[in-house]
Amino acid sequence: MNTTYIVRSVVAVAAVSILGSCGIYKKYETPTSTPLTKEYAEALTQTPDSTALGNLSWQTLFTDPKLANLIESALANNTNLRNAQLNVEVAQANVLGARLSYLPYVALAPNGAAASYAGSDLSWTYQLPAQLSWEIDIFGKLLNSKRGAKAALLKSEAYSSAVRSQIIAGVANTYYAIAAVRQQLNLSRNTAALWKETVQTMRDLKEGGRGVTEAAVVQSAANYYSILASITDLETTLDQLNNTMSLLQNTLPQEWDVTDRVDLSVPEVLYSGIPMAELALRPDVAAAEQDLAAAYYATASARAAFYPGLSISVAGGFTNLLGSFIKNPGDWFYQLAGSLTAPLFSRGQNIARLKASKVQQQQAMNNFEYALLNAASEVNDALTVYAKSREKSALLVEQVANLEKSVEYTRDLMLYSTGSTSYLEVLTAQQGLLNAQINQITTELARARSIINLYQALGGGR
């Protein structure tokens, strides 16, 4: 078998392999196999609306100076965000490594030895060789590795953006929660002072023979101690919220200065449906797609493992060992070689790897579709809470106004009438007013949180 025949055979094998491996060079494309992913792919081609809620900068939405300072501090100091940014640097290093894999491998391995035979003088041999080897990526192994590393980098960047969005929303939610609990505390303390006066009034009426019994006195006292107990719960909640803010700021626990009341105003939110164009910009959705892209390239790499590998190596250097002779001084030498290695049987490893890669790619596809559905669900939930909290807030304003009148009327009737109003009516009116006022603050907090959650759900703050 002559050399020409061998070369022709190698070339023929390579040509057939290339024709059968066209699929391993194809770049990842956003899937359109389902109505959901098709709508997503179409949304990616649209020009983003800069006025949409999710595309506004967080400084435009959160204009409270105290809140803005806390958000800036958290973005600068938060440990989770730092780690996410470090993961981006790791991915960048992996991309660099994948790019450099196209370059040749160079090694220098000098060596020397001495030998003596039958009492002769030592004979020294030495080599100063340099070796260069280069893998020719004719079957896309290095290409898919580089593309996979790039997808991993984009995923890390998207995850970092998602963490940034979460921190902004977390600081804003905690900020307004602290404000709401402080409002409830002030309200409860002021109400406790009024209820304490009611207890004393009941005692005075009883002692004055105005128809108030001991039962009325102890019942009003029980209400008073009840609100004192609720104040301790609010103080505990406030302490926990301050601790949460401290963690977000990456600092030791402390009290935080916030606004006096929950007051977050935004542009009118009008959505007739789930805006896919904005969901497509969510960083967690982008991360899920890049995870799918990485799985796609992993499958392509697994396919490429079935095809031959072509490598060229060059060795050269200075030596005094030429064949079986020792020459002093030495001389230069060089070697050139090429090899084409085709896998025939690898104990099923390539087959198993390809099957596993296909399964993992399907898992990534499922996760990507779920990320889209979850994003739509979060937007829908936030929109519903926003709309209903606005309706509820308007109703509570009317309820509180009427209950304030009820407390005033029943108290006056008890003090100045001849017994047409019982102490139970007074206590019931007072309790109803407090509950409505607490509910009013809670509803305002729910409305503010719905705006914050909607902003995050639409990819805001990325």
Side-chain angles (χ1 to χ4, degrees), residues 111-153:
N111 63 81
S116 173
Y117 300 96
S120 64
D121 294 336
L122 287 173
S123 298
W124 287 92
T125 61
Y126 56 85
Q127 287 188 347
L128 300 173
Q131 183 178 8
L132 182 149
S133 61
W134 187 19
E135 182 178 355
I136 309 300
D137 191 34
I138 58 176
F139 300 109
K141 296 177 182 178
L142 299 180
L143 175 65
N144 285 303
S145 176
K146 184 186 76 171
R147 288 174 174 175
K150 180 64 175 178
L153 171 60

Side-chain angles (χ1 to χ4, degrees), residues 81-411:
L81 184 57
R82 285 182 183 177
N83 287 337
Q85 292 167 343
L86 290 174
N87 285 335
V88 172
E89 294 183 20
V90 172
Q92 289 172 338
N94 290 336
V95 170
L96 178 61
R99 287 174 179 169
L100 294 179
S101 63
Y102 284 91
L103 299 179
Y105 169 81
V106 181
L108 181 66
N111 63 81
S116 173
Y117 300 96
S120 64
D121 294 336
L122 287 173
S123 298
W124 287 92
T125 61
Y126 56 85
Q127 287 188 347
L128 300 173
Q131 183 178 8
L132 182 149
S133 61
W134 187 19
E135 182 178 355
I136 309 300
D137 191 34
I138 58 176
F139 300 109
K141 296 177 182 178
L142 299 180
L143 175 65
N144 285 303
S145 176
K146 184 186 76 171
R147 288 174 174 175
K150 180 64 175 178
L153 171 60
L154 294 176
K155 176 185 175 182
S156 295
E157 291 175 342
Y159 177 75
S160 179
S161 296
V163 173
R164 173 185 169 88
S165 180
Q166 291 170 359
I167 290 172
I168 292 171
V171 171
N173 272 319
T174 306
Y175 181 86
Y176 286 111
I178 292 174
V181 172
R182 284 188 176 176
Q183 274 187 267
Q184 292 175 341
L185 262 174
N186 291 334
L187 173 64
S188 296
R189 287 167 178 163
N190 292 335
T191 302
L194 294 175
W195 286 14
K196 185 177 182 180
E197 292 178 5
T198 300
V199 174
Q200 186 59 47
T201 301
M202 293 284 191
R203 287 198 179 101
D204 293 341
L205 291 175
K206 173 181 175 293
E207 293 174 0
R210 296 285 302 276
V212 174
T213 64
E214 183 63 24
V217 174
V218 296
Q219 182 64 55
S220 62
N223 275 16
Y224 169 66
Y225 289 116
S226 173
I227 194 172
L228 291 181
S230 69
I231 288 173
T232 64
D233 291 335
L234 289 171
E235 289 171 340
T236 299
T237 301
L238 180 59
D239 182 69
Q240 292 171 343
L241 288 170
N242 277 311
N243 290 341
T244 299
M245 182 66 80
S246 299
L247 284 174
L248 288 168
Q249 300 295 325
N250 196 33
T251 187
L252 293 174
Q254 59 184 278
E255 289 188 12
W256 297 95
D257 184 22
V258 301
T259 184
D260 293 333
R261 57 182 294 109
V262 179
D263 185 16
L264 178 61
S265 58
V266 293
E268 186 65 25
V269 179
L270 295 174
Y271 286 115
S272 57
I274 305 301
M276 180 59 76
E278 293 184 55
L279 295 184
L281 299 177
R282 276 180 52 139
D284 62 330
V285 171
E289 187 187 10
Q290 292 306 319
D291 196 36
L292 175 60
Y296 172 87
Y297 290 126
T299 301
S301 294
R303 288 194 177 99
F306 286 89
Y307 297 98
L310 177 62
S311 62
I312 297 174
S313 61
V314 178
F318 191 77
T319 183
N320 71 338
L321 180 61
L322 300 174
S324 60
F325 300 97
I326 299 175
K327 178 181 178 182
N328 289 304
D331 206 348
W332 294 95
F333 75 95
Y334 69 89
Q335 295 174 336
L336 176 65
S339 63
L340 183 68
T341 305
L344 297 178
F345 180 70
S346 58
R347 296 177 294 179
Q349 295 301 306
N350 288 339
I351 294 175
R353 181 187 173 196
L354 179 58
K355 287 183 177 180
S357 297
K358 287 181 177 179
V359 172
Q360 290 169 347
Q361 184 177 344
Q362 184 57 52
Q363 289 176 328
M365 180 65 180
N366 294 340
N367 292 338
F368 172 53
E369 290 183 329
Y370 178 80
L372 281 172
L373 292 174
N374 183 63
S377 176
E378 288 180 355
V379 171
N380 189 65
D381 287 345
L383 285 171
T384 300
V385 174
Y386 175 75
K388 296 304 177 184
S389 61
R390 289 185 66 190
E391 293 178 17
K392 184 177 180 180
S393 181
L395 296 173
L396 287 172
V397 168
E398 297 297 326
Q399 182 188 19
V400 168
N402 283 278
L403 284 171
E404 286 175 341
K405 294 177 181 179
S406 175
V407 169
E408 181 183 353
Y409 295 159
T410 54
R411 182 179 175 85

